[in-house]
Amino acid sequence: MGAGSWGTVFAKILADAGTPVTVWARRAEVAEAINATHRNPDYFPDIELPGLVSATDDAAVALQGADLVVLSVPSQTLRGNLAVWKEHLEPVATLLSLMKGIELGSTERMTEVIAEVTGAAESRIAVLSGPNLAREIAEEQPTASVVACVDHGRAVDVQKAVTTSYFRPYTNTDVVGCELGGAVKNVIALAYGMAAGMGMGDNTKATIITRGLAETTRLGVRLGADPTTFAGLAGLGDLVATCSSPLSRNHTFGEQLGLGATLEEAARVTKQTAEGVKSCRSITDLARKVGVEMPICDAVERVCHEGLDPRAAVAELMGRETKPEIDSLRSDND
Ligand SMILES: NC(=O)c1ccc[n+]([C@@H]2O[C@H](COP(=O)([O-])OP(=O)(O)OC[C@H]3O[C@@H](n4cnc5c(N)ncnc54)[C@H](O)[C@@H]3O)[C@@H](O)[C@H]2O)c1
Ligand SMILES: O=P(O)(O)OC[C@H](O)CO
C-alpha cells in the first residue's frame, strides 16, 4: 500500500522472492504506468519491475485476498489511510509496516497506530527496518534488514517471503526497538546533514552518530526495548547508512538547512518524504512524556520548527554539562 520510493522497491523484492504483488498507488496514472511499462516513472524510471508486480489505484482490489499487507505511506497519513482501508483487510492478514516515523499528537509508533485503527492483535503486526536505501536495493546491491514481530513464527514467515539474492532479512521479536531505531535515526540524520552542510568533518559526524545512538537507546530502553537491538541493523546499521548517504532524504534535508536553506527550500530539494522533519517533534514529545533527555533530537526540533540557527544549536550542544560516558548510555541517566 503505497507506490512511492520504498513501496515500489519492496514490491520488487517480494516478486523476486516469488510472491505475486498488487501495488496500491494513490494516483491512477502511476498504477496504469506500472501495468503498462513495468516501471514506476515517478521514482525509478530506469528499473524494470518483475512480471509478478501489478498495480491498482483501488485499495479494495489491492487488499482482496492479500495475506501479507505491506504499508508504505508517510507516517503522518497512515491513520487516515487505514481508516478507509480496514474494512477491506483479510481477517488473518499479516500487517507489515515499512514506515519510519512517530505519529504527531499521539506520539504512537506505526505498529501502535495499526493496532489501534484495525483492531488487529499484536501477533499479526510486524515491522521491517534496517539500512535500506531504496535506490541501492532497486539496483540489487546486497543489503540486510530486520523483520520484527512479537510472534517469532510470523516474523519467520515474512522473512521467507522477502529473502532474495540481494536482500537478507533477520528476525527480531523487539518491535519497539526496531521501530524506534528506524524513526529516531531520521532525526539524527538531519543533524548529521546539518553538520555536513556547515562544513564540519568526520570527528563531528562520528560524534553525532555515537551520541545519537546513545539517546535513541536511552529512549528505547525506557520504553521497554532490548538495548542489543540498537547495536543491530535497525539501530546502528540504519543510523550509519542514513546519516552518511547522499541518497537519504533526511541527510539531504539537513544538509540544506546547514547550508542556510529554509524548511520550504529544503523540502523543494528533497521532494520525497523526509520523515524526521515531522517526527523530530513527536519524538521529543514522547521523550518528554517518559522523562528521557534527547539533546540532539531536541536541537533538530528547534532548528526545524522554532527557527533556531544550526550553529547556535551546535554551541548549545557543546555547552551542555559534562558527564561520564557510561552513565549517559543508561536510560536512567541522561
Ligand atoms: N525510500 C527509502 O529508501 C525508504 C527505506 C526504508 C523505509 N522508508 C520509509 O518508508 C515510508 C515511505 O517512504 P517512501 O520513501 O516510499 O516515501 P515517498 O515519499 O517516496 O512515497 C510516499 C508515497 O505515499 C504517497 N502518499 C503521500 N501522501 C499520501 C496520503 N495522504 N495518503 C496515501 N498515500 C500518500 C505518495 O504518493 C507516495 O507514493 C517512510 O516512512 C520512510 O521513512 C523509506
Ligand atoms: O531517505 P531516508 O532518509 O528516508 O532514508 C531511507 C531509509 O530509511 C534508509 O534506511
Side-chain angles (χ1 to χ4, degrees):
M1 305 303 287
S5 184
W6 192 208
T8 301
V9 174
F10 204 75
K12 171 174 158 51
I13 295 172
L14 278 160
D16 283 340
T19 307
V21 191
T22 308
V23 177
W24 172 81
R26 193 163 56 134
R27 287 176 292 131
E29 61 269 28
V30 174
E32 282 157 19
I34 292 175
N35 290 331
T37 66
H38 284 285
R39 288 166 200 269
N40 184 331
D42 286 0
Y43 292 91
F44 297 104
D46 56 324
I47 300 291
E48 188 167 347
L49 297 170
L52 286 179
V53 175
S54 62
T56 175
D57 67 335
D58 185 338
V61 170
L63 293 169
Q64 191 178 18
D67 49 12
L68 174 60
V69 175
V70 181
L71 298 160
S72 189
V73 289
S75 297
Q76 307 306 332
T77 78
L78 177 68
R79 185 179 291 274
N81 297 137
L82 277 177
V84 177
W85 297 339
K86 68 176 177 184
E87 65 174 297
H88 305 295
L89 294 170
E90 298 293 344
V92 292
T94 299
L95 308 176
L96 176 67
S97 166
L98 300 188
M99 295 157 291
K100 295 177 175 173
I102 298 292
E103 191 178 49
L104 286 164
S106 72
T107 69
E108 285 179 2
R109 292 174 285 104
M110 293 298 101
T111 60
E112 293 179 298
V113 173
I114 294 168
E116 205 171 281
V117 181
T118 67
E122 251 191 322
S123 59
R124 276 178 56 205
I125 305 172
V127 57
L128 181 133
S129 198
N132 297 154
L133 295 150
R135 158 56 64 183
E136 293 183 6
I137 298 172
E139 292 170 1
E140 302 190 5
Q141 295 184 31
T143 190
S145 196
V146 182
V147 178
C149 183
V150 294
D151 176 351
H152 174 68
R154 202 171 287 252
V156 170
D157 288 345
V158 176
Q159 179 185 44
K160 283 184 189 146
V162 297
T163 298
T164 70
S165 58
Y166 57 88
F167 194 74
R168 179 176 168 78
Y170 289 77
T171 59
N172 194 335
T173 51
D174 181 13
V175 173
V176 177
C178 288
E179 257 183 322
L180 286 177
V184 180
K185 65 85 188 176
N186 285 331
V187 182
I188 305 301
L190 284 167
Y192 184 107
M194 285 179 212
M198 289 187 283
M200 292 168 186
D202 292 330
N203 295 335
T204 312
K205 292 169 181 169
T207 300
I208 291 171
I209 288 181
T210 311
R211 296 308 305 167
L213 190 62
E215 66 184 60
T216 310
T217 308
R218 278 202 303 265
L219 178 68
V221 169
R222 180 66 57 88
L223 292 169
D226 180 342
T228 321
T229 296
F230 299 101
L233 291 157
L236 181 64
D238 201 4
L239 183 62
V240 169
T242 310
C243 282
S244 51
S245 176
L247 290 175
S248 155
R249 287 83 48 95
N250 288 286
H251 168 108
T252 306
F253 199 107
E255 190 173 36
Q256 288 299 313
L257 295 179
L259 287 166
T262 63
L263 220 58
E264 292 70 29
E265 288 164 345
R268 273 199 291 278
V269 173
T270 51
K271 292 190 194 90
Q272 301 169 15
T273 313
E275 291 275 21
V277 179
K278 286 183 178 156
S279 284
C280 61
R281 179 147 274 182
S282 41
I283 287 166
T284 49
D285 282 350
L286 177 60
R288 264 190 296 277
K289 236 187 239 180
V290 297
V292 171
E293 212 176 15
M294 299 186 78
I296 301 176
C297 289
D298 198 51
V300 169
E301 194 273 330
R302 289 168 61 219
V303 170
C304 288
H305 301 294
E306 292 173 25
L308 179 67
D309 186 279
R311 288 180 198 279
V314 173
E316 279 188 24
L317 286 167
M318 293 304 288
R320 283 168 52 80
E321 188 194 351
T322 52
K323 61 198 66 170
E325 184 182 39
I326 297 301
D327 288 359
S328 73
L329 296 174
R330 297 203 182 103
S331 67
D332 53 352
N333 277 288
D334 301 324

